[in-house]
Amino acid sequence: MAGSGRTTVRSRVRSSADADGGETKPNLKRRRERSKYGSTIPIFNSSVNLKVLLGISFVAFFIIFFQIRSLVNYSEQPQLPRAVTPFPAAKIMDLPQFQGEHKESLYWGTYRPQVYLGIRARTPQSLIAGLMWIGVKDGRYHLRHVCRHEDELDTYGWIKHDGRDFGHQVLDDHGLNLATTFLKSKGDGSGYGGDWAVRINVQIDKSKWNEEFGEGAQLFFYLADEGGNVLDLSRENLNIRGDSLLASGSRMDIGDWQLHLKSMDNLELHYSGFHTPHFHNLSDLVEENLASQIRKHARLQLSDSLDDSPNVLVFQIVGGFPFTADIALISGTDSESSGVEERISNLTGTSLTNLLKDKEQAFDEKFETIFKLTEKVDSESVSVGMAAVGNLLGGIGYFYGRSNIALPRIVNLNEHVSYIPYWPAELYTAVPSRSFFPRGFLWDEGFHQLLIWRWDIHISLDIIGHWLDLMNIDGWIPREQILGAEALSRVPAEFVPQHPTNGNPPTLFLVLSDIVNGLKNNEFTAMDRSEISLFLDRAFVRLEAWFQWFNTTQSGNQMGSYYWHGRDNRTMLELNPKTLSSGLDDYPRASHPSGDEHHLDLRFWMLLAADCMRSIEELLDKETKPEKDYGFTAKLLSDLELLNQMHFDDAYGAYFDFGNHTEKVQLKWKEVEAVHGHASRKLVRDTLERPDLRLVPHIGYVSLFPFMARVIPPGSWILEKQLELISNRSLLWTDYGLRSLAKTSSMYMKRNTEHDAPYWRGPIWINMNYRILSALHYYSKENGPYQQRAKTIYEELRSNLIRNIVRNYQQTGFLWEQYDQIKGKGKGTHPFTGWTSLVVLIMAESYGQI
């Protein structure tokens, strides 16, 4: 654009000279021009006029000089990098099916999964609500708000949630038992998105509660307006016996609104109002206010005061055990037909009780209709399955912000700039863990959607559409979405920037394949079929770009080979440089990262993607382009002979990665420079022999990707070998599920650094066990010499997984990120109702065509 700008300047200079078709010479003779009144005006008739003209020329020269200079400087400024340039196609979320009633029906929700109870709307600057309370741990008071492992709650999570307008959650905090129930209602007179209510029930477990800490609970319910709108307190002396109104305000989206609290119990109320531009640290404001009151008045209560123009109101609710409080937000109170009193009555007290019973029953019936578990597992397993679905759906969040994209040194930018912001974007997504990973992760999301699409296809398509709309011009999607101040506050700075050279397993093709097969099998209504087809048609160009990004940037040095970019080939601190982009983090790869690597798992993610693209192409009756022949790619990547040549080891009977590798690598303590006069030691990598190009002999989840993809013929001896690897207790088999890495591996349960415990080097992960079970189920139905063997292994593995997950939930109150391969105990992050919720599909024996 800068170049064309300079051309325009030059063309303007030429245009006046070329108007008569040739070059004009300046006429220096005096001449006279006639004015509109008929008199003549001399042009060069005095020395004064000459000086004026010279002055004007002088000024004009400098104006032209500075214009040209600014144009040159503009041309030298960096253009918007491709990494942060949006994909040039119509957004999926602009489809009519995601507007109107659909959009409004999902406007309000429990879309703040990072806090124990958080409500917001799907808009960048929302009215947000949440709950805090004072808990007791180790003999001290603690304010609860953000989901944290350190709080050591006995359990918490949505045990039932429909993803739309109902959810029931239990929270057990060292003897203090809270139950929070959410209900949304759209009635006559409601503003956009309708009204919502929260019921909070408080009890104690006397066997755990220390009576020294009182006979009542202290809750803090808050409202905050991210748009900066002022919130009005109803009155200074709050007394819900006389009037249930707590606060009111007005917004462009929902109109005027009111917040009401009703209870049959004797409650004491206090309040504080704050004005702040920051909403990720609201608990800090409450703690500071309480601390000030303790210092001044020796009492644990809010100050009953307001900042000027408060955009945050916090209400302290104090009650003796047990008590129940109903809080309702009524929108559109400025309309003539608002019927405020009737709507308050419907969302509190007995009416609310009846509505919640109906919603709970509807959840139970829908759960059984979809998953049909009562005929497959016992009642305890059904309850765990409901909790898995409930907390997955209740953990869906809405986020808005800008990702930070890591870039190499950029010309004309400060050399210290290591990242550049993505465009502002919104994301509606499930999350792996409300406590530790309360944000979107690309490869997790495909597994989440395997369950969510079966529950609510419209929510699933909405989520997938949001993810695909995050694609840049190259077809790349950032793998971890850290959007907004709340998300940023939870992530160490070094993990925030996303690298546009690095991929992540394209697991959205898992759910898209499932949905396409559902269309083929007539599993949807006519209306749903139409909307799914429109979705796929709009998404196709983005899916093509995503496939091509992988197929070009992650391709290896041989046809049909791929490798994950992003491994550190210079590190001296890692035993085996991590492959974070693969999702399998520290799973052992070639000891020396290089472009010569062939990663087996990525090859089969590409097979899944190619096969899915071929199916969508056929479904939409699109013409196959020679340069984008997905059928040919799928056939190439599933060719058993080519696969065996590149990845199969006859001696092991197993498939492996290929790369520059040696087994003789270890971590060794080494003296390093003195720190403050004291010598220190550090674990560093020590390579004892030169690596060479070879298969990487580590049996584990990666070895089973060809098996998971079902490319091994049912009658092949290689299938028998895979079944032996799976069922061998000295390798992968345990009584709790399949290990991620064989016991015989040199990397089995080895630390990767001084500070990194083994992650994918032994523990049991449910997403991979689900995919392996799916393949076993497939081979147990295929005629062949190993059919019965596959069936026996399938049934035992399924039983082991269900039994262990249910047992852990009953003992700990949580689903876990991973499970110990020796005793089956839950490990890592909790609650982890991301892909661990796939236990529901394992119970239901619902595997699709993956």
Short mmCIF file of all heavy atoms in Angstrom, two decimals, residues 664-690:
data_model
loop_
_atom_site.label_atom_id
_atom_site.label_comp_id
_atom_site.label_asym_id
_atom_site.label_seq_id
_atom_site.Cartn_x
_atom_site.Cartn_y
_atom_site.Cartn_z
N LYS A 664 21.22 -44.16 25.36
CA LYS A 664 22.20 -43.87 26.41
C LYS A 664 22.25 -42.38 26.73
O LYS A 664 23.21 -41.67 26.41
CB LYS A 664 23.58 -44.40 26.01
CG LYS A 664 23.59 -45.93 25.89
CD LYS A 664 24.98 -46.47 25.65
CE LYS A 664 24.98 -48.00 25.61
NZ LYS A 664 26.32 -48.57 25.38
N VAL A 665 21.17 -41.94 27.37
CA VAL A 665 21.05 -40.56 27.83
C VAL A 665 20.60 -40.61 29.29
O VAL A 665 19.77 -41.45 29.67
CB VAL A 665 20.02 -39.77 26.99
CG1 VAL A 665 19.89 -38.35 27.49
CG2 VAL A 665 20.41 -39.77 25.53
N GLN A 666 21.17 -39.74 30.10
CA GLN A 666 20.81 -39.73 31.50
C GLN A 666 20.85 -38.30 32.04
O GLN A 666 21.41 -37.40 31.41
CB GLN A 666 21.76 -40.60 32.32
CG GLN A 666 23.21 -40.12 32.28
CD GLN A 666 24.16 -41.02 33.03
OE1 GLN A 666 23.81 -42.14 33.40
NE2 GLN A 666 25.37 -40.55 33.27
N LEU A 667 20.22 -38.11 33.20
CA LEU A 667 20.36 -36.85 33.92
C LEU A 667 21.42 -37.04 35.00
O LEU A 667 21.41 -38.03 35.72
CB LEU A 667 19.03 -36.44 34.56
CG LEU A 667 17.93 -35.95 33.62
CD1 LEU A 667 16.67 -35.64 34.41
CD2 LEU A 667 18.38 -34.73 32.83
N LYS A 668 22.32 -36.07 35.08
CA LYS A 668 23.46 -36.20 35.96
C LYS A 668 23.66 -34.90 36.74
O LYS A 668 23.55 -33.81 36.17
CB LYS A 668 24.70 -36.52 35.12
CG LYS A 668 25.95 -36.82 35.91
CD LYS A 668 27.09 -37.20 34.96
CE LYS A 668 28.36 -37.53 35.71
NZ LYS A 668 29.46 -37.87 34.77
N TRP A 669 23.94 -35.03 38.02
CA TRP A 669 24.19 -33.84 38.82
C TRP A 669 25.51 -33.20 38.41
O TRP A 669 26.50 -33.88 38.23
CB TRP A 669 24.22 -34.17 40.31
CG TRP A 669 22.88 -34.48 40.88
CD1 TRP A 669 22.39 -35.71 41.21
CD2 TRP A 669 21.85 -33.54 41.18
NE1 TRP A 669 21.12 -35.61 41.69
CE2 TRP A 669 20.75 -34.28 41.69
CE3 TRP A 669 21.74 -32.15 41.07
CZ2 TRP A 669 19.57 -33.66 42.08
CZ3 TRP A 669 20.56 -31.55 41.47
CH2 TRP A 669 19.50 -32.30 41.96
N LYS A 670 25.47 -31.88 38.27
CA LYS A 670 26.68 -31.16 37.86
C LYS A 670 26.82 -29.90 38.69
O LYS A 670 25.85 -29.20 38.97
CB LYS A 670 26.58 -30.79 36.37
CG LYS A 670 27.79 -30.07 35.83
CD LYS A 670 27.61 -29.73 34.36
CE LYS A 670 28.82 -28.99 33.82
NZ LYS A 670 28.65 -28.64 32.38
N GLU A 671 28.07 -29.63 39.11
CA GLU A 671 28.34 -28.40 39.85
C GLU A 671 28.21 -27.21 38.90
O GLU A 671 28.70 -27.24 37.77
CB GLU A 671 29.76 -28.42 40.43
CG GLU A 671 30.00 -29.52 41.45
CD GLU A 671 29.29 -29.27 42.76
OE1 GLU A 671 29.03 -28.08 43.05
OE2 GLU A 671 28.99 -30.23 43.48
N VAL A 672 27.52 -26.17 39.37
CA VAL A 672 27.37 -24.95 38.56
C VAL A 672 27.94 -23.79 39.34
O VAL A 672 28.39 -23.93 40.48
CB VAL A 672 25.89 -24.70 38.19
CG1 VAL A 672 25.37 -25.81 37.31
CG2 VAL A 672 25.05 -24.58 39.45
N GLU A 673 27.95 -22.61 38.71
CA GLU A 673 28.58 -21.45 39.31
C GLU A 673 28.00 -21.16 40.69
O GLU A 673 26.84 -21.43 40.98
CB GLU A 673 28.41 -20.22 38.40
CG GLU A 673 26.97 -19.74 38.23
CD GLU A 673 26.24 -20.52 37.16
OE1 GLU A 673 26.84 -21.46 36.58
OE2 GLU A 673 25.06 -20.20 36.90
N ALA A 674 28.86 -20.59 41.54
CA ALA A 674 28.47 -20.30 42.91
C ALA A 674 27.39 -19.22 42.94
O ALA A 674 27.41 -18.29 42.14
CB ALA A 674 29.68 -19.84 43.72
N VAL A 675 26.45 -19.37 43.85
CA VAL A 675 25.39 -18.38 44.04
C VAL A 675 25.49 -17.88 45.48
O VAL A 675 25.36 -18.66 46.42
CB VAL A 675 24.00 -18.99 43.78
CG1 VAL A 675 22.92 -17.96 44.02
CG2 VAL A 675 23.93 -19.54 42.38
N HIS A 676 25.75 -16.58 45.64
CA HIS A 676 25.91 -15.97 46.96
C HIS A 676 26.95 -16.71 47.78
O HIS A 676 26.78 -16.94 48.99
CB HIS A 676 24.58 -15.94 47.71
CG HIS A 676 23.49 -15.22 46.98
ND1 HIS A 676 23.60 -13.90 46.59
CD2 HIS A 676 22.26 -15.64 46.55
CE1 HIS A 676 22.49 -13.53 45.96
NE2 HIS A 676 21.67 -14.57 45.90
N GLY A 677 28.00 -17.11 47.11
CA GLY A 677 29.10 -17.77 47.81
C GLY A 677 28.90 -19.25 48.06
O GLY A 677 29.76 -19.90 48.64
N HIS A 678 27.76 -19.78 47.65
CA HIS A 678 27.49 -21.21 47.87
C HIS A 678 27.45 -21.93 46.53
O HIS A 678 26.77 -21.50 45.61
CB HIS A 678 26.16 -21.40 48.60
CG HIS A 678 26.12 -20.77 49.96
ND1 HIS A 678 26.74 -21.30 51.05
CD2 HIS A 678 25.52 -19.62 50.37
CE1 HIS A 678 26.54 -20.53 52.10
NE2 HIS A 678 25.79 -19.49 51.71
N ALA A 679 28.18 -23.03 46.44
CA ALA A 679 28.15 -23.83 45.21
C ALA A 679 26.79 -24.52 45.11
O ALA A 679 26.20 -24.91 46.12
CB ALA A 679 29.27 -24.85 45.21
N SER A 680 26.28 -24.65 43.91
CA SER A 680 25.00 -25.33 43.71
C SER A 680 25.15 -26.41 42.66
O SER A 680 26.08 -26.38 41.85
CB SER A 680 23.91 -24.33 43.30
OG SER A 680 24.24 -23.74 42.07
N ARG A 681 24.21 -27.34 42.69
CA ARG A 681 24.23 -28.42 41.72
C ARG A 681 22.95 -28.40 40.91
O ARG A 681 21.91 -27.96 41.37
CB ARG A 681 24.37 -29.77 42.42
CG ARG A 681 25.65 -29.92 43.23
CD ARG A 681 25.89 -31.38 43.59
NE ARG A 681 24.73 -32.00 44.22
CZ ARG A 681 24.51 -33.30 44.26
NH1 ARG A 681 25.36 -34.14 43.68
NH2 ARG A 681 23.44 -33.80 44.87
N LYS A 682 23.05 -28.91 39.69
CA LYS A 682 21.90 -28.93 38.81
C LYS A 682 21.90 -30.23 38.02
O LYS A 682 22.96 -30.74 37.64
CB LYS A 682 21.95 -27.73 37.86
CG LYS A 682 20.76 -27.60 36.94
CD LYS A 682 20.86 -26.35 36.07
CE LYS A 682 20.69 -25.10 36.89
NZ LYS A 682 20.61 -23.89 36.04
N LEU A 683 20.71 -30.78 37.79
CA LEU A 683 20.59 -31.97 36.97
C LEU A 683 20.67 -31.57 35.50
O LEU A 683 19.87 -30.77 35.03
CB LEU A 683 19.26 -32.68 37.23
CG LEU A 683 19.22 -33.76 38.30
CD1 LEU A 683 17.81 -34.32 38.42
CD2 LEU A 683 20.21 -34.88 38.00
N VAL A 684 21.66 -32.10 34.80
CA VAL A 684 21.81 -31.79 33.39
C VAL A 684 21.85 -33.07 32.58
O VAL A 684 22.13 -34.16 33.09
CB VAL A 684 23.09 -30.95 33.12
CG1 VAL A 684 23.03 -29.63 33.84
CG2 VAL A 684 24.34 -31.74 33.52
N ARG A 685 21.58 -32.95 31.33
CA ARG A 685 21.52 -34.09 30.42
C ARG A 685 22.94 -34.52 30.04
O ARG A 685 23.79 -33.70 29.70
CB ARG A 685 20.72 -33.66 29.20
CG ARG A 685 20.69 -34.63 28.04
CD ARG A 685 19.73 -34.04 27.02
NE ARG A 685 20.05 -34.40 25.67
CZ ARG A 685 19.25 -35.05 24.86
NH1 ARG A 685 18.06 -35.42 25.29
NH2 ARG A 685 19.59 -35.32 23.62
N ASP A 686 23.14 -35.82 30.08
CA ASP A 686 24.46 -36.37 29.74
C ASP A 686 24.24 -37.46 28.68
O ASP A 686 23.58 -38.47 28.93
CB ASP A 686 25.11 -36.97 30.99
CG ASP A 686 26.52 -37.47 30.73
OD1 ASP A 686 27.15 -36.96 29.77
OD2 ASP A 686 26.99 -38.35 31.47
N THR A 687 24.78 -37.25 27.48
CA THR A 687 24.65 -38.21 26.38
C THR A 687 25.92 -39.05 26.30
O THR A 687 27.02 -38.51 26.16
CB THR A 687 24.40 -37.49 25.05
OG1 THR A 687 23.24 -36.67 25.18
CG2 THR A 687 24.20 -38.48 23.91
N LEU A 688 25.77 -40.36 26.36
CA LEU A 688 26.93 -41.25 26.47
C LEU A 688 27.35 -41.87 25.14
O LEU A 688 28.40 -42.50 25.07
CB LEU A 688 26.61 -42.38 27.47
CG LEU A 688 26.21 -41.90 28.87
CD1 LEU A 688 25.89 -43.10 29.76
CD2 LEU A 688 27.31 -41.06 29.50
N GLU A 689 26.52 -41.72 24.11
CA GLU A 689 26.92 -42.22 22.80
C GLU A 689 26.26 -41.38 21.70
O GLU A 689 25.26 -40.70 21.93
CB GLU A 689 26.53 -43.69 22.62
CG GLU A 689 25.07 -43.94 22.40
CD GLU A 689 24.75 -45.40 22.08
OE1 GLU A 689 25.64 -46.25 22.22
OE2 GLU A 689 23.60 -45.67 21.69
N ARG A 690 26.85 -41.42 20.54
CA ARG A 690 26.34 -40.64 19.43
C ARG A 690 25.01 -41.23 18.94
O ARG A 690 24.90 -42.44 18.74
CB ARG A 690 27.37 -40.67 18.29
CG ARG A 690 27.03 -39.75 17.11
CD ARG A 690 28.11 -39.87 16.05
NE ARG A 690 27.86 -38.96 14.95
CZ ARG A 690 28.27 -37.70 14.91
NH1 ARG A 690 28.99 -37.22 15.92
NH2 ARG A 690 28.02 -36.93 13.87
#
